[in-house]
Coordinates of all heavy atoms in Angstrom, one line a residue:
M1 N 65.0 -173.9 -90.0 CA 66.3 -174.5 -90.0 C 67.3 -173.9 -91.1 O 68.3 -173.5 -90.6 CB 66.0 -176.0 -90.1 CG 67.4 -176.8 -89.8 SD 67.8 -176.7 -88.1 CE 69.2 -177.8 -88.1
K2 N 66.6 -173.8 -92.3 CA 67.5 -173.2 -93.3 C 67.8 -171.8 -93.0 O 69.0 -171.4 -93.2 CB 66.8 -173.3 -94.7 CG 67.2 -174.5 -95.5 CD 66.7 -174.4 -96.9 CE 67.1 -175.6 -97.7 NZ 66.3 -175.7 -98.9
S3 N 66.8 -171.0 -92.6 CA 67.1 -169.6 -92.4 C 68.1 -169.4 -91.2 O 68.9 -168.5 -91.2 CB 65.8 -168.8 -92.1 OG 65.3 -169.4 -90.9
C4 N 68.0 -170.3 -90.3 CA 69.0 -170.3 -89.1 C 70.4 -170.4 -89.6 O 71.3 -169.7 -89.2 CB 68.6 -171.4 -88.2 SG 69.7 -171.3 -86.7
L5 N 70.6 -171.4 -90.5 CA 71.9 -171.7 -91.1 C 72.4 -170.5 -91.9 O 73.6 -170.1 -91.8 CB 71.8 -172.9 -92.0 CG 73.1 -173.4 -92.6 CD1 74.0 -173.9 -91.5 CD2 72.8 -174.5 -93.6
L6 N 71.5 -170.0 -92.7 CA 71.8 -168.8 -93.5 C 72.2 -167.6 -92.6 O 73.4 -167.0 -92.8 CB 70.6 -168.4 -94.3 CG 70.9 -167.3 -95.4 CD1 71.9 -167.8 -96.4 CD2 69.6 -166.8 -96.1
A7 N 71.4 -167.4 -91.4 CA 71.8 -166.3 -90.6 C 73.1 -166.5 -89.9 O 73.9 -165.6 -89.8 CB 70.7 -166.2 -89.5
S8 N 73.5 -167.7 -89.6 CA 74.8 -167.9 -89.0 C 75.9 -167.8 -90.0 O 77.0 -167.4 -89.6 CB 74.8 -169.2 -88.3 OG 74.5 -170.3 -89.2
L9 N 75.6 -168.1 -91.2 CA 76.7 -167.9 -92.2 C 77.0 -166.4 -92.4 O 78.1 -166.0 -92.5 CB 76.2 -168.5 -93.6 CG 76.5 -169.9 -93.9 CD1 75.9 -170.4 -95.2 CD2 78.1 -170.0 -94.0
I10 N 75.9 -165.6 -92.5 CA 76.0 -164.2 -92.7 C 76.7 -163.6 -91.5 O 77.7 -162.8 -91.6 CB 74.7 -163.5 -92.9 CG1 74.1 -163.9 -94.2 CG2 74.8 -162.0 -92.8 CD1 72.6 -163.5 -94.4
F11 N 76.4 -164.1 -90.3 CA 77.0 -163.6 -89.1 C 78.5 -163.9 -89.1 O 79.3 -163.0 -88.8 CB 76.3 -164.2 -87.9 CG 76.9 -163.8 -86.6 CD1 76.6 -162.5 -86.1 CD2 77.8 -164.6 -85.8 CE1 77.1 -162.0 -84.9 CE2 78.2 -164.2 -84.6 CZ 78.0 -162.9 -84.1
A12 N 78.8 -165.1 -89.6 CA 80.3 -165.5 -89.7 C 81.0 -164.6 -90.6 O 82.2 -164.2 -90.4 CB 80.4 -167.0 -90.1
M13 N 80.3 -164.2 -91.8 CA 81.0 -163.4 -92.8 C 81.2 -162.0 -92.2 O 82.3 -161.5 -92.4 CB 80.1 -163.4 -94.0 CG 80.2 -164.6 -94.9 SD 78.9 -164.6 -96.1 CE 79.4 -163.3 -97.2
L14 N 80.2 -161.5 -91.5 CA 80.3 -160.1 -90.9 C 81.5 -160.1 -89.9 O 82.3 -159.2 -89.9 CB 79.0 -159.8 -90.3 CG 78.0 -159.4 -91.2 CD1 76.6 -159.0 -90.6 CD2 78.3 -158.2 -92.1
C15 N 81.6 -161.1 -89.1 CA 82.6 -161.2 -88.1 C 84.0 -161.2 -88.8 O 85.0 -160.5 -88.4 CB 82.5 -162.4 -87.2 SG 81.1 -162.4 -86.0
G16 N 84.0 -162.0 -89.9 CA 85.3 -162.1 -90.7 C 85.6 -160.7 -91.2 O 86.9 -160.3 -91.1
M17 N 84.7 -159.9 -91.6 CA 85.0 -158.6 -92.2 C 85.5 -157.6 -91.2 O 86.4 -156.9 -91.3 CB 83.7 -158.0 -92.8 CG 83.4 -158.6 -94.2 SD 81.7 -158.3 -94.7 CE 81.8 -156.6 -95.1
V18 N 84.8 -157.6 -90.0 CA 85.2 -156.7 -88.8 C 86.6 -157.1 -88.5 O 87.4 -156.3 -88.3 CB 84.3 -156.9 -87.7 CG1 84.9 -156.2 -86.4 CG2 82.9 -156.3 -88.0
E19 N 86.9 -158.4 -88.4 CA 88.2 -158.9 -88.0 C 89.3 -158.5 -89.0 O 90.4 -158.1 -88.6 CB 88.2 -160.4 -88.0 CG 89.2 -161.1 -87.2 CD 89.1 -161.0 -85.7 OE1 88.0 -160.6 -85.2 OE2 90.1 -161.0 -85.0
A20 N 89.0 -158.5 -90.3 CA 90.0 -158.1 -91.3 C 90.3 -156.7 -91.3 O 91.4 -156.3 -91.7 CB 89.4 -158.6 -92.7
E21 N 89.4 -155.8 -90.9 CA 89.6 -154.4 -90.9 C 90.7 -153.9 -89.9 O 91.5 -153.0 -90.1 CB 88.4 -153.6 -90.6 CG 87.6 -153.4 -92.0 CD 86.4 -152.5 -91.7 OE1 86.4 -151.8 -90.7 OE2 85.4 -152.6 -92.6
A22 N 90.7 -154.5 -88.7 CA 91.7 -154.2 -87.7 C 93.0 -154.8 -88.0 O 93.0 -156.0 -88.3 CB 91.1 -154.6 -86.3
A23 N 94.0 -154.1 -88.0 CA 95.3 -154.6 -88.3 C 96.1 -154.9 -87.1 O 95.8 -154.5 -86.0 CB 96.2 -153.6 -89.1
I24 N 97.1 -155.7 -87.2 CA 98.1 -156.0 -86.2 C 99.3 -155.3 -86.5 O 99.9 -155.5 -87.6 CB 98.3 -157.5 -86.0 CG1 97.0 -158.1 -85.5 CG2 99.3 -157.8 -84.9 CD1 97.0 -159.6 -85.3
Q25 N 99.9 -154.5 -85.7 CA 101.1 -153.7 -85.9 C 102.1 -154.2 -84.8 O 101.8 -154.3 -83.7 CB 100.9 -152.3 -85.8 CG 99.7 -151.8 -86.6 CD 100.1 -151.1 -87.9 OE1 101.1 -151.3 -88.4 NE2 99.2 -150.4 -88.4
T26 N 103.4 -154.3 -85.2 CA 104.4 -154.7 -84.3 C 105.4 -153.8 -84.1 O 105.9 -153.1 -85.0 CB 105.0 -156.0 -84.9 OG1 104.0 -157.0 -85.1 CG2 106.0 -156.6 -83.8
V27 N 105.8 -153.6 -82.8 CA 106.9 -152.8 -82.4 C 108.0 -153.7 -81.8 O 107.6 -154.4 -80.8 CB 106.5 -151.6 -81.3 CG1 107.8 -150.9 -80.9 CG2 105.5 -150.7 -81.9
A28 N 109.1 -153.8 -82.4 CA 110.2 -154.6 -81.8 C 110.9 -153.8 -80.7 O 110.9 -152.6 -80.7 CB 111.2 -155.0 -82.8
I29 N 111.3 -154.6 -79.6 CA 112.2 -153.8 -78.6 C 113.5 -154.6 -78.7 O 113.7 -155.7 -78.5 CB 111.6 -154.1 -77.2 CG1 110.1 -153.7 -77.2 CG2 112.4 -153.3 -76.2 CD1 109.5 -154.0 -75.8
E30 N 114.5 -153.8 -79.3 CA 115.8 -154.4 -79.4 C 116.8 -153.3 -79.2 O 116.6 -152.2 -79.6 CB 115.9 -155.0 -80.8 CG 115.5 -154.1 -81.9 CD 115.5 -154.8 -83.3 OE1 115.7 -156.0 -83.4 OE2 115.4 -154.1 -84.3
G31 N 118.0 -153.7 -78.7 CA 119.1 -152.8 -78.4 C 118.7 -151.6 -77.5 O 119.1 -150.5 -77.7
M32 N 117.7 -151.9 -76.5 CA 117.3 -150.9 -75.6 C 116.5 -149.8 -76.3 O 116.5 -148.7 -75.8 CB 118.5 -150.3 -74.8 CG 119.4 -151.4 -74.2 SD 118.6 -152.3 -72.8 CE 118.6 -151.1 -71.5
R33 N 115.8 -150.2 -77.4 CA 115.0 -149.1 -78.1 C 113.8 -149.8 -78.6 O 113.7 -151.0 -78.8 CB 115.8 -148.6 -79.3 CG 117.1 -147.9 -79.0 CD 117.7 -147.4 -80.2 NE 116.8 -146.3 -80.9 CZ 117.2 -145.7 -81.9 NH1 118.4 -145.8 -82.5 NH2 116.3 -144.8 -82.4
Y34 N 112.7 -148.9 -78.8 CA 111.5 -149.3 -79.4 C 111.7 -149.1 -80.9 O 112.1 -148.0 -81.3 CB 110.3 -148.6 -78.9 CG 110.1 -148.7 -77.4 CD1 110.5 -147.7 -76.5 CD2 109.5 -149.9 -76.8 CE1 110.3 -147.8 -75.1 CE2 109.3 -150.0 -75.4 CZ 109.7 -148.9 -74.7 OH 109.5 -149.0 -73.3
V35 N 111.5 -150.1 -81.7 CA 111.6 -150.0 -83.2 C 110.4 -150.3 -84.0 O 110.0 -151.5 -83.8 CB 112.8 -150.9 -83.7 CG1 113.0 -150.6 -85.2 CG2 114.1 -150.6 -82.9
P36 N 109.7 -149.4 -84.5 CA 110.0 -147.9 -84.6 C 109.7 -147.1 -83.4 O 108.7 -147.6 -82.6 CB 109.2 -147.4 -85.7 CG 108.0 -148.3 -85.8 CD 108.4 -149.6 -85.3
E37 N 110.4 -146.1 -83.0 CA 110.1 -145.3 -81.8 C 108.9 -144.5 -81.9 O 108.2 -144.4 -80.9 CB 111.3 -144.3 -81.6 CG 112.4 -144.9 -80.8 CD 113.5 -143.9 -80.5 OE1 113.5 -142.8 -80.9 OE2 114.4 -144.3 -79.8
R38 N 108.5 -144.3 -83.1 CA 107.1 -143.6 -83.4 C 106.4 -144.4 -84.4 O 106.8 -144.6 -85.5 CB 107.5 -142.2 -83.9 CG 106.5 -141.2 -83.9 CD 107.0 -139.8 -84.4 NE 106.0 -138.9 -84.5 CZ 105.6 -138.1 -83.6 NH1 106.2 -138.1 -82.4 NH2 104.6 -137.2 -83.7
L39 N 105.2 -144.7 -84.0 CA 104.3 -145.5 -84.9 C 102.9 -144.9 -84.9 O 102.3 -144.6 -83.9 CB 104.3 -146.9 -84.3 CG 103.4 -147.9 -85.2 CD1 103.9 -148.1 -86.6 CD2 103.3 -149.3 -84.5
T40 N 102.4 -144.8 -86.2 CA 101.0 -144.3 -86.3 C 100.1 -145.5 -86.7 O 100.5 -146.2 -87.7 CB 100.9 -143.1 -87.3 OG1 101.8 -142.1 -87.0 CG2 99.5 -142.7 -87.5
V41 N 99.0 -145.7 -86.1 CA 98.1 -146.8 -86.3 C 96.7 -146.2 -86.4 O 96.3 -145.0 -86.1 CB 98.2 -147.9 -85.2 CG1 99.6 -148.4 -85.1 CG2 97.7 -147.3 -83.9
Q42 N 95.7 -147.1 -86.9 CA 94.4 -146.8 -87.0 C 93.6 -147.3 -85.6 O 94.0 -148.3 -85.1 CB 93.8 -147.4 -88.2 CG 94.3 -147.1 -89.6 CD 94.1 -145.6 -89.8 OE1 93.0 -145.0 -89.5 NE2 95.2 -144.9 -90.2
S43 N 92.7 -146.5 -85.3 CA 91.9 -146.9 -84.1 C 91.4 -148.4 -84.3 O 90.8 -148.7 -85.4 CB 90.7 -146.0 -83.9 OG 89.8 -146.5 -83.1
G44 N 91.5 -149.2 -83.4 CA 91.0 -150.6 -83.5 C 92.1 -151.6 -83.8 O 91.9 -152.7 -83.6
D45 N 93.3 -151.0 -84.1 CA 94.4 -151.9 -84.3 C 94.9 -152.5 -83.0 O 94.9 -151.9 -82.0 CB 95.6 -151.1 -85.0 CG 95.3 -150.8 -86.5 OD1 94.3 -151.3 -87.0 OD2 96.1 -150.1 -87.1
R46 N 95.5 -153.7 -83.2 CA 96.2 -154.3 -82.1 C 97.7 -154.1 -82.3 O 98.2 -154.3 -83.3 CB 95.9 -155.8 -82.0 CG 96.7 -156.6 -80.9 CD 96.3 -158.0 -80.8 NE 94.9 -158.2 -80.3 CZ 94.6 -158.2 -79.0 NH1 95.5 -158.0 -78.1 NH2 93.4 -158.3 -78.7
I47 N 98.3 -153.6 -81.3 CA 99.8 -153.4 -81.3 C 100.5 -154.4 -80.4 O 100.1 -154.6 -79.3 CB 100.1 -151.9 -80.8 CG1 99.2 -150.9 -81.3 CG2 101.5 -151.6 -81.3 CD1 98.9 -150.9 -82.7
V48 N 101.5 -154.9 -81.0 CA 102.3 -156.0 -80.3 C 103.6 -155.5 -80.2 O 104.3 -155.1 -81.1 CB 102.3 -157.4 -81.2 CG1 103.0 -158.5 -80.4 CG2 100.9 -157.8 -81.5
W49 N 104.1 -155.6 -78.9 CA 105.5 -155.2 -78.6 C 106.2 -156.5 -78.3 O 105.8 -157.3 -77.5 CB 105.6 -154.3 -77.3 CG 105.3 -152.9 -77.6 CD1 106.2 -151.8 -77.9 CD2 104.0 -152.3 -77.6 NE1 105.5 -150.7 -78.0 CE2 104.2 -150.9 -77.8 CE3 102.7 -152.7 -77.4 CZ2 103.1 -149.9 -77.9 CZ3 101.7 -151.8 -77.3 CH2 101.9 -150.4 -77.7
K50 N 107.2 -156.8 -79.1 CA 108.0 -158.0 -79.0 C 109.4 -157.7 -78.4 O 110.2 -157.0 -79.1 CB 108.3 -158.6 -80.5 CG 107.1 -159.4 -80.9 CD 107.5 -160.1 -82.2 CE 106.2 -160.8 -82.8 NZ 106.5 -161.3 -84.1
N51 N 109.6 -158.3 -77.3 CA 111.0 -158.0 -76.7 C 112.1 -158.9 -77.3 O 112.1 -160.2 -77.0 CB 110.9 -158.2 -75.1 CG 112.2 -157.9 -74.5 OD1 113.1 -157.4 -75.1 ND2 112.2 -158.1 -73.2
Q52 N 112.9 -158.4 -78.0 CA 114.0 -159.2 -78.6 C 115.3 -158.9 -78.0 O 116.4 -159.3 -78.5 CB 114.1 -158.8 -80.1 CG 112.8 -159.2 -80.8 CD 112.7 -158.7 -82.2 OE1 113.5 -157.9 -82.7 NE2 111.6 -159.0 -83.0
D53 N 115.3 -158.3 -76.8 CA 116.5 -158.1 -76.0 C 116.7 -159.2 -75.0 O 115.8 -160.1 -74.9 CB 116.4 -156.8 -75.2 CG 117.0 -155.6 -76.1 OD1 117.6 -155.8 -77.1 OD2 116.7 -154.5 -75.7
L54 N 117.9 -159.2 -74.3 CA 118.2 -160.3 -73.3 C 117.8 -159.9 -72.0 O 117.9 -160.6 -71.0 CB 119.7 -160.6 -73.4 CG 120.2 -161.0 -74.7 CD1 121.7 -161.2 -74.7 CD2 119.6 -162.4 -75.0
V55 N 117.2 -158.7 -71.9 CA 116.7 -158.2 -70.5 C 115.2 -157.8 -70.6 O 114.7 -157.5 -71.8 CB 117.4 -156.9 -70.1 CG1 118.9 -157.2 -69.8 CG2 117.4 -155.8 -71.1
P56 N 114.4 -157.8 -69.5 CA 113.1 -157.4 -69.5 C 112.9 -156.0 -69.8 O 113.7 -155.2 -69.4 CB 112.5 -157.9 -68.2 CG 113.6 -158.2 -67.3 CD 114.8 -158.3 -68.1
H57 N 111.7 -155.6 -70.3 CA 111.3 -154.2 -70.5 C 109.8 -154.0 -70.2 O 109.1 -155.0 -70.2 CB 111.6 -153.8 -72.0 CG 113.0 -153.7 -72.5 ND1 113.9 -152.9 -72.0 CD2 113.7 -154.6 -73.3 CE1 115.0 -153.1 -72.6 NE2 114.9 -154.2 -73.4
T58 N 109.4 -152.8 -70.2 CA 107.9 -152.5 -70.0 C 107.5 -151.6 -71.1 O 108.3 -150.9 -71.6 CB 107.6 -151.9 -68.6 OG1 108.0 -150.6 -68.6 CG2 108.3 -152.8 -67.4
V59 N 106.3 -151.5 -71.3 CA 105.6 -150.5 -72.2 C 104.6 -149.8 -71.2 O 103.7 -150.4 -70.9 CB 104.9 -151.2 -73.4 CG1 104.1 -150.1 -74.1 CG2 105.9 -151.8 -74.2
T60 N 105.0 -148.6 -70.8 CA 104.3 -147.9 -69.7 C 103.8 -146.5 -70.1 O 104.6 -145.8 -70.6 CB 105.1 -147.9 -68.5 OG1 105.6 -149.2 -68.1 CG2 104.3 -147.4 -67.3
H61 N 102.5 -146.3 -70.0 CA 101.8 -145.0 -70.2 C 101.0 -144.8 -69.0 O 100.8 -145.6 -68.2 CB 101.0 -145.1 -71.4 CG 100.3 -143.9 -71.8 ND1 99.0 -143.7 -71.5 CD2 100.7 -142.8 -72.5 CE1 98.5 -142.6 -71.9 NE2 99.6 -141.9 -72.5
E62 N 100.6 -143.5 -68.8 CA 99.7 -143.3 -67.7 C 98.4 -144.0 -67.6 O 97.9 -144.2 -66.5 CB 99.5 -141.7 -67.3 CG 99.0 -141.1 -68.6 CD 99.0 -139.5 -68.5 OE1 100.2 -139.0 -68.3 OE2 98.0 -138.9 -68.5
T63 N 98.0 -144.5 -68.8 CA 96.8 -145.2 -68.8 C 96.9 -146.7 -69.1 O 95.9 -147.3 -69.1 CB 95.8 -144.6 -69.9 OG1 96.5 -144.9 -71.2 CG2 95.5 -143.1 -69.8
F64 N 98.1 -147.2 -69.4 CA 98.3 -148.6 -69.5 C 99.7 -149.0 -69.0 O 100.6 -148.1 -69.0 CB 98.0 -149.1 -70.9 CG 98.7 -148.5 -72.0 CD1 100.1 -148.9 -72.3 CD2 98.3 -147.4 -72.7 CE1 100.8 -148.4 -73.3 CE2 99.1 -146.8 -73.6 CZ 100.3 -147.2 -74.0
D65 N 99.9 -150.3 -68.7 CA 101.2 -150.7 -68.4 C 101.3 -152.3 -68.7 O 100.5 -153.0 -68.2 CB 101.4 -150.5 -66.9 CG 102.8 -150.8 -66.3 OD1 103.7 -151.2 -67.2 OD2 103.1 -150.7 -65.2
S66 N 102.3 -152.6 -69.4 CA 102.5 -154.0 -69.8 C 103.0 -154.8 -68.7 O 102.9 -156.1 -68.7 CB 103.5 -154.1 -71.0 OG 104.8 -153.7 -70.5
Q67 N 103.6 -154.2 -67.6 CA 104.4 -154.8 -66.6 C 105.6 -155.4 -67.3 O 105.8 -155.2 -68.5 CB 103.6 -156.0 -66.0 CG 102.3 -155.5 -65.3 CD 102.5 -154.5 -64.2 OE1 103.5 -154.4 -63.5 NE2 101.4 -153.8 -63.9
Q68 N 106.4 -156.2 -66.7 CA 107.6 -156.7 -67.3 C 107.4 -157.7 -68.4 O 106.7 -158.6 -68.3 CB 108.5 -157.4 -66.3 CG 109.1 -156.4 -65.3 CD 110.3 -157.0 -64.5 OE1 110.9 -157.9 -65.1 NE2 110.7 -156.4 -63.4
I69 N 107.9 -157.4 -69.6 CA 107.9 -158.3 -70.8 C 109.2 -159.0 -70.8 O 110.3 -158.4 -71.0 CB 107.7 -157.6 -72.1 CG1 106.5 -156.6 -72.0 CG2 107.6 -158.5 -73.2 CD1 106.4 -155.6 -73.2
A70 N 109.3 -160.4 -70.6 CA 110.5 -161.1 -70.5 C 111.1 -161.2 -71.9 O 110.4 -160.9 -72.9 CB 110.1 -162.4 -70.0
P71 N 112.4 -161.4 -71.9 CA 113.1 -161.7 -73.1 C 112.3 -162.7 -74.0 O 111.8 -163.8 -73.4 CB 114.5 -162.1 -72.8 CG 114.7 -161.6 -71.4 CD 113.4 -161.5 -70.8
E72 N 112.2 -162.5 -75.3 CA 111.5 -163.5 -76.1 C 110.0 -163.4 -76.1 O 109.2 -164.1 -76.8 CB 111.9 -164.9 -75.9 CG 113.4 -165.2 -75.9 CD 113.9 -165.5 -77.3 OE1 113.2 -166.0 -78.1 OE2 115.1 -165.0 -77.5
A73 N 109.4 -162.6 -75.1 CA 108.0 -162.6 -74.8 C 107.4 -161.3 -75.5 O 108.2 -160.5 -76.0 CB 107.7 -162.6 -73.3
S74 N 106.2 -161.3 -75.6 CA 105.5 -160.1 -76.2 C 104.3 -159.7 -75.4 O 103.9 -160.5 -74.6 CB 105.2 -160.3 -77.7 OG 104.3 -161.3 -77.8
W75 N 103.8 -158.5 -75.7 CA 102.6 -157.9 -75.0 C 101.9 -157.2 -76.0 O 102.4 -156.6 -76.8 CB 103.1 -157.1 -73.8 CG 101.9 -156.5 -73.1 CD1 101.1 -157.1 -72.2 CD2 101.4 -155.1 -73.3 NE1 100.1 -156.2 -71.8 CE2 100.3 -155.0 -72.4 CE3 101.8 -154.0 -74.0 CZ2 99.6 -153.8 -72.3 CZ3 101.1 -152.8 -73.9 CH2 100.1 -152.7 -73.0
S76 N 100.6 -157.4 -76.0 CA 99.8 -156.6 -77.0 C 98.5 -155.9 -76.4 O 98.0 -156.3 -75.3 CB 99.3 -157.5 -78.1 OG 98.3 -158.3 -77.7
M77 N 98.1 -154.9 -77.0 CA 96.8 -154.2 -76.6 C 96.1 -153.6 -77.8 O 96.8 -153.2 -78.8 CB 97.3 -153.1 -75.6 CG 96.1 -152.3 -75.0 SD 96.7 -151.2 -73.7 CE 95.5 -150.0 -73.9
V78 N 94.8 -153.5 -77.8 CA 94.0 -153.0 -78.8 C 93.8 -151.5 -78.5 O 93.4 -151.3 -77.3 CB 92.7 -153.6 -79.1 CG1 91.8 -153.0 -80.1 CG2 93.0 -155.2 -79.6
F79 N 94.1 -150.5 -79.3 CA 93.8 -149.2 -79.1 C 92.6 -148.7 -79.8 O 92.6 -148.7 -81.1 CB 95.1 -148.4 -79.4 CG 96.2 -148.5 -78.5 CD1 97.0 -149.7 -78.6 CD2 96.5 -147.7 -77.5 CE1 98.0 -149.9 -77.7 CE2 97.5 -147.9 -76.5 CZ 98.2 -149.1 -76.7
R80 N 91.6 -148.2 -79.1 CA 90.4 -147.7 -79.8 C 90.2 -146.3 -79.7 O 89.5 -145.7 -80.4 CB 89.2 -148.4 -79.2 CG 89.2 -149.9 -79.1 CD 87.9 -150.5 -78.9 NE 88.0 -151.9 -78.7 CZ 88.2 -152.8 -79.7 NH1 88.1 -152.4 -81.0 NH2 88.3 -154.2 -79.5
K81 N 90.9 -145.6 -78.7 CA 90.7 -144.1 -78.6 C 91.9 -143.4 -79.2 O 93.0 -143.7 -79.0 CB 90.7 -143.9 -77.1 CG 90.2 -142.5 -76.7 CD 89.9 -142.4 -75.2 CE 89.5 -141.0 -74.9 NZ 90.3 -140.2 -74.0
S82 N 91.5 -142.4 -80.2 CA 92.6 -141.7 -80.8 C 93.3 -140.9 -79.9 O 92.8 -140.4 -79.0 CB 92.0 -140.8 -81.9 OG 90.8 -141.3 -82.4
G83 N 94.6 -140.6 -80.3 CA 95.3 -139.7 -79.4 C 96.8 -140.1 -79.5 O 97.2 -141.0 -80.3
N84 N 97.6 -139.3 -78.8 CA 99.0 -139.6 -78.7 C 99.3 -140.3 -77.4 O 99.0 -139.9 -76.4 CB 99.9 -138.3 -78.8 CG 100.1 -137.8 -80.1 OD1 99.3 -138.1 -81.0 ND2 101.1 -137.0 -80.4
Y85 N 100.0 -141.4 -77.5 CA 100.4 -142.1 -76.3 C 101.9 -142.2 -76.2 O 102.5 -143.1 -76.7 CB 99.8 -143.5 -76.4 CG 98.3 -143.6 -76.5 CD1 97.6 -143.5 -77.7 CD2 97.5 -143.8 -75.3 CE1 96.2 -143.6 -77.8 CE2 96.1 -143.8 -75.4 CZ 95.5 -143.7 -76.7 OH 94.1 -143.8 -76.7
P86 N 102.5 -141.2 -75.5 CA 104.0 -141.4 -75.3 C 104.1 -142.4 -74.2 O 103.6 -142.3 -73.1 CB 104.4 -139.9 -74.9 CG 103.1 -139.2 -74.5 CD 101.9 -140.0 -75.0
Y87 N 105.0 -143.4 -74.4 CA 105.2 -144.4 -73.4 C 106.7 -144.5 -73.1 O 107.5 -144.0 -73.8 CB 104.5 -145.7 -73.8 CG 105.1 -146.3 -75.1 CD1 106.2 -147.1 -75.2 CD2 104.5 -146.0 -76.3 CE1 106.8 -147.6 -76.3 CE2 105.0 -146.5 -77.5 CZ 106.1 -147.4 -77.5 OH 106.7 -147.9 -78.6
R88 N 107.1 -145.3 -72.1 CA 108.4 -145.5 -71.7 C 108.6 -146.9 -71.1 O 107.6 -147.6 -70.8 CB 108.8 -144.4 -70.6 CG 108.0 -144.5 -69.4 CD 108.1 -143.2 -68.5 NE 107.2 -143.4 -67.4 CZ 107.5 -144.1 -66.2 NH1 108.7 -144.6 -66.1 NH2 106.6 -144.2 -65.3
C89 N 109.8 -147.2 -70.8 CA 110.1 -148.4 -70.0 C 110.5 -148.0 -68.6 O 111.3 -147.1 -68.4 CB 111.4 -149.1 -70.7 SG 111.9 -150.5 -69.7
K90 N 109.7 -148.7 -67.7 CA 110.0 -148.3 -66.3 C 111.3 -148.8 -65.8 O 111.8 -148.2 -64.8 CB 108.9 -149.0 -65.4 CG 107.5 -148.3 -65.4 CD 106.6 -148.9 -64.4 CE 106.2 -150.3 -64.6 NZ 105.2 -150.7 -63.6
L91 N 111.9 -149.6 -66.5 CA 113.2 -150.2 -66.0 C 114.4 -149.5 -66.6 O 115.5 -149.6 -66.1 CB 113.3 -151.7 -66.4 CG 112.1 -152.5 -65.9 CD1 112.3 -154.0 -66.6 CD2 112.1 -152.6 -64.4
H92 N 114.2 -148.8 -67.7 CA 115.3 -148.1 -68.3 C 114.8 -146.7 -68.7 O 114.2 -146.5 -69.7 CB 115.8 -148.8 -69.6 CG 116.0 -150.3 -69.3 ND1 115.2 -151.3 -69.6 CD2 117.1 -150.9 -68.7 CE1 115.8 -152.5 -69.2 NE2 116.9 -152.2 -68.6
P93 N 115.1 -145.7 -67.9 CA 114.7 -144.3 -68.0 C 114.9 -143.7 -69.5 O 114.2 -142.8 -69.9 CB 115.4 -143.6 -67.0 CG 115.8 -144.6 -66.0 CD 116.0 -145.8 -66.7
G94 N 115.9 -144.2 -70.1 CA 116.2 -143.6 -71.5 C 115.3 -144.1 -72.6 O 115.3 -143.6 -73.7
M95 N 114.5 -145.1 -72.3 CA 113.7 -145.7 -73.4 C 112.4 -145.0 -73.5 O 111.6 -145.0 -72.6 CB 113.5 -147.2 -73.1 CG 114.8 -148.0 -73.3 SD 114.5 -149.7 -72.9 CE 113.3 -150.2 -74.2
H96 N 112.1 -144.5 -74.7 CA 110.9 -143.8 -74.9 C 110.2 -144.2 -76.3 O 111.0 -144.4 -77.2 CB 111.0 -142.3 -74.9 CG 111.4 -141.7 -73.6 ND1 110.5 -141.5 -72.6 CD2 112.6 -141.5 -73.1 CE1 111.1 -141.0 -71.6 NE2 112.4 -141.0 -71.8
G97 N 109.0 -144.2 -76.4 CA 108.4 -144.4 -77.7 C 107.1 -143.7 -77.7 O 106.6 -143.2 -76.6
T98 N 106.5 -143.5 -78.9 CA 105.2 -142.8 -79.0 C 104.3 -143.6 -79.9 O 104.8 -144.0 -81.1 CB 105.4 -141.4 -79.7 OG1 106.3 -140.7 -78.8 CG2 104.0 -140.6 -79.7
L99 N 103.1 -143.9 -79.5 CA 102.0 -144.4 -80.4 C 101.0 -143.4 -80.7 O 100.6 -142.7 -79.8 CB 101.4 -145.6 -79.7 CG 100.4 -146.4 -80.5 CD1 101.2 -147.2 -81.6 CD2 99.6 -147.3 -79.6
I100 N 100.8 -143.2 -82.0 CA 99.7 -142.3 -82.3 C 98.6 -143.0 -83.0 O 98.8 -143.8 -84.0 CB 100.4 -141.3 -83.5 CG1 101.5 -140.5 -82.9 CG2 99.3 -140.3 -84.0 CD1 102.6 -140.2 -83.8
V101 N 97.5 -142.9 -82.4 CA 96.2 -143.7 -82.8 C 95.3 -142.7 -83.6 O 94.9 -141.6 -83.0 CB 95.5 -144.3 -81.7 CG1 94.2 -145.0 -82.1 CG2 96.5 -145.2 -80.9
R102 N 95.0 -142.8 -84.8 CA 94.2 -142.0 -85.7 C 92.7 -142.4 -85.5 O 92.5 -143.5 -85.4 CB 94.6 -142.1 -87.1 CG 96.1 -141.6 -87.4 CD 96.1 -140.2 -87.7 NE 97.4 -139.8 -88.1 CZ 98.0 -138.7 -87.6 NH1 97.5 -137.9 -86.7 NH2 99.3 -138.4 -88.0
Ligands
LIG201 CU1 113.6 -151.4 -70.7

């Protein structure tokens, strides 16, 4: 019984450590732009796109698509694979951003 309790405590601590290592990074969408337009993150980070405009936007890449993000809403994804992810908004051809995952 005691060792079981100890094991679950250690497990909880390890989970906490793994959780703490991955960061959450935010990209604002405002004024028909991604801010910042270019963002470098670490593999495992969760990226949140927050739409602060009055119109919907998307975050679209050949390997992922947020679909429409309503005003005031946000969309997030965890990126584990390193690489450059140039993305765009399907609704506004001039909107481009780049996510770089190290
Ligand atoms: Cu847009």
Side-chain angles (χ1 to χ4, degrees):
M1 191 65 179
K2 257 188 185 168
S3 63
C4 182
L5 185 63
L6 188 63
S8 55
L9 267 175
I10 291 170
F11 182 71
M13 283 167 67
L14 286 174
C15 287
M17 285 163 72
V18 169
E19 200 70 24
E21 272 182 25
I24 295 175
Q25 312 256 20
T26 303
V27 177
I29 309 177
E30 54 184 8
M32 309 293 283
R33 297 182 63 175
Y34 301 103
V35 183
E37 271 184 356
R38 195 179 173 85
L39 178 67
T40 302
V41 304
Q42 297 299 315
S43 167
D45 286 356
R46 176 176 293 278
I47 320 305
V48 182
W49 280 267
K50 276 189 186 168
N51 185 4
Q52 295 168 356
D53 272 344
L54 298 173
V55 295
H57 293 292
T58 75
V59 175
T60 306
H61 178 262
E62 52 193 63
T63 61
F64 59 85
D65 186 2
S66 66
Q67 304 298 339
Q68 288 199 19
I69 307 169
E72 311 272 326
S74 62
W75 177 78
S76 78
M77 181 169 151
V78 173
F79 289 79
R80 302 197 190 282
K81 197 166 175 244
S82 334
N84 276 25
Y85 297 86
Y87 61 86
R88 65 193 171 86
C89 175
K90 284 195 293 194
L91 306 174
H92 307 105
M95 289 179 64
H96 294 277
T98 303
L99 183 71
I100 299 146
V101 181
R102 296 271 188 228

